[in-house]
Amino acid sequence: MAIPVIDFSKLEGKERGETLARIANGCEDWGFFQLVNHGIPVELLERVKKVCSECYRLRAEDFKASKTVQLLNKLVEEKGDAADAKRLDNVDWEDVFLLQDDNEWPANPPEFRETMREYREELRKLAEEVMEVMDENLSFEKGSIKNAFSGNGEHQPFFGTKVSHYPPCPRLDLVNGLRAHTDAGGVILLFQDDQVGGLQILKDGQWIDVQPVANAIVINTGDQIEVLSNGRYKSVWHRVLTTSDGNRRSIASFYNPSLKATIAPGTNKDDSATTLYPKYAFGDYMDVYVKQKFLAKEPRFAAVRAV
C-alpha cells in the first residue's frame, strides 16, 4: 500500500470532480495524502532545504549534548547489547525548534529568516485552500473550517512550523525517532526529506511508510478536523523511525484553531447524523493533550466533554 499522491493543480481543470474525490478518500480512508503541483515554487523549496540543513549543521553539537543522547549513551554503557536493555520510551531522537509569527527565529544562516518567512506564507495559503476543499467535500459552506478555527474571525488561528532533524542513531532498538501519536490540531502540512524515509502511519493495524516524493507536501488531518467532520475524517497514528544512516529533515506546519476557538461537529443542510463529539474550547483540549499526546485520543475527547 502507498499513501495517495494527488495532483492539486487538477482542481482547476476538467478533472476537478475526480480530484475532489481523491482528496476526500485521502481524508476519510487514510488521514494522510501527498500533494504535488501544489503551487509552491520548486526554487523556494530548494532554498528551504538548504537553509534548514545548514541550520541543523550549526546546531549539531547541541544535539550531541542533549538529554536524549546522554540517556542513550548511559543505557548503552550500562547494558551494552544485553537483551534486557529497556527502550527509552519517554524521549525522541529528534532535534527540533518551532517557528511562530511572534517568537525568535535562528539568525543563521543569514538567509534562514527571509526564506522561512516566505515559505510559511505559501504554506498558510495552501492550508486554507486545502480547508476549502474539505468544506466542499463535507458540504459545508465555504470558509466554515477557517471560521471555526478563528471563532468566526474574532481570533487568529495558530500557525506554527516545526523544523526537525532526525540524525543517524547508533541503537535503533533502544529509542524512537518520534513516538506514535495523533496531531492535536487542524491541518498539518509536511515538507519531508526526499532521500531519508522513516515516517509511518498506522492503517488497518499495519505500519505503512509515507514514501518520499520529491517536492511533495504531505497533508494530514488532526484531531480537530476529526471533530468538525463528526468522525468522517480521522486523525491517524503516525511515528518516525530512527535510522542508522542519513539525517532526516522534516518541516511540519500546523494550521490550528485559536486557543479561544470553540470546536464542535459541523453541520450541513443534509446532515441528520448523531453528534459523536463534544463541544469545547480548543484551549481546554490542549490542556489535556499536552499530558496525553502519546496516548489514545478517545480519552481526550471524554475529558473535554466533562469540562
Side-chain angles (χ1 to χ4, degrees), residues 49 192-198 212-214 245-249:
K49 287 193 241 183
Q192 72 165 344
D193 202 299
D194 55 12
Q195 300 295 321
V196 184
V213 175
D245 55 357
N247 182 14
R248 175 182 167 81
R249 180 185 58 253

Side-chain angles (χ1 to χ4, degrees), residues 35-49:
L35 293 182
V36 296
N37 296 323
H38 38 61
I40 300 173
V42 171
E43 177 273 334
L44 174 58
L45 296 177
E46 289 297 325
R47 283 193 283 131
V48 168
K49 287 193 241 183

Side-chain angles (χ1 to χ4, degrees), residues 6-144:
I6 301 170
D7 186 338
F8 201 56
S9 69
K10 290 186 176 179
L11 282 173
E12 302 302 320
K14 61 184 180 181
E15 296 180 50
R16 177 176 175 80
E18 180 183 343
T19 305
L20 285 170
R22 294 196 68 203
I23 292 173
N25 171 261
C27 294
E28 293 176 12
D29 292 348
W30 290 86
F32 268 74
F33 55 94
Q34 305 205 50
L35 293 182
V36 296
N37 296 323
H38 38 61
I40 300 173
V42 171
E43 177 273 334
L44 174 58
L45 296 177
E46 289 297 325
R47 283 193 283 131
V48 168
K49 287 193 241 183
K50 181 179 178 181
V51 297
C52 288
S53 294
E54 177 64 12
C55 190
Y56 173 74
R57 189 186 68 79
L58 298 171
R59 295 166 52 88
E61 292 304 316
D62 290 338
F63 178 75
K64 292 175 184 177
S66 67
K67 176 184 175 183
T68 298
V69 174
Q70 291 175 8
L71 286 172
L72 182 61
N73 289 341
K74 181 180 178 182
L75 180 60
V76 171
E77 287 173 11
E78 292 176 351
K79 293 289 187 177
D81 293 324
D84 64 342
K86 188 177 181 182
R87 285 181 63 88
L88 297 172
D89 285 330
N90 61 344
V91 295
D92 302 304
W93 191 262
E94 176 187 34
D95 176 80
V96 59
F97 60 90
L98 184 66
L99 305 178
Q100 299 173 220
D101 290 335
D102 58 355
N103 71 336
E104 187 173 352
W105 296 13
N108 288 303
E111 307 85 3
F112 182 86
R113 291 179 175 176
E114 178 183 350
T115 298
M116 294 307 292
R117 192 172 292 114
E118 184 179 348
Y119 172 74
R120 276 170 48 83
E121 283 311 305
E122 292 286 344
L123 265 289
R124 201 189 309 253
K125 288 188 291 185
L126 180 60
E128 293 179 350
E129 291 173 7
V130 169
M131 290 191 296
E132 287 188 357
V133 171
M134 292 179 179
D135 287 333
E136 186 170 349
N137 278 333
L138 291 166
S139 299
F140 291 169
E141 290 186 10
K142 184 176 180 178
S144 290

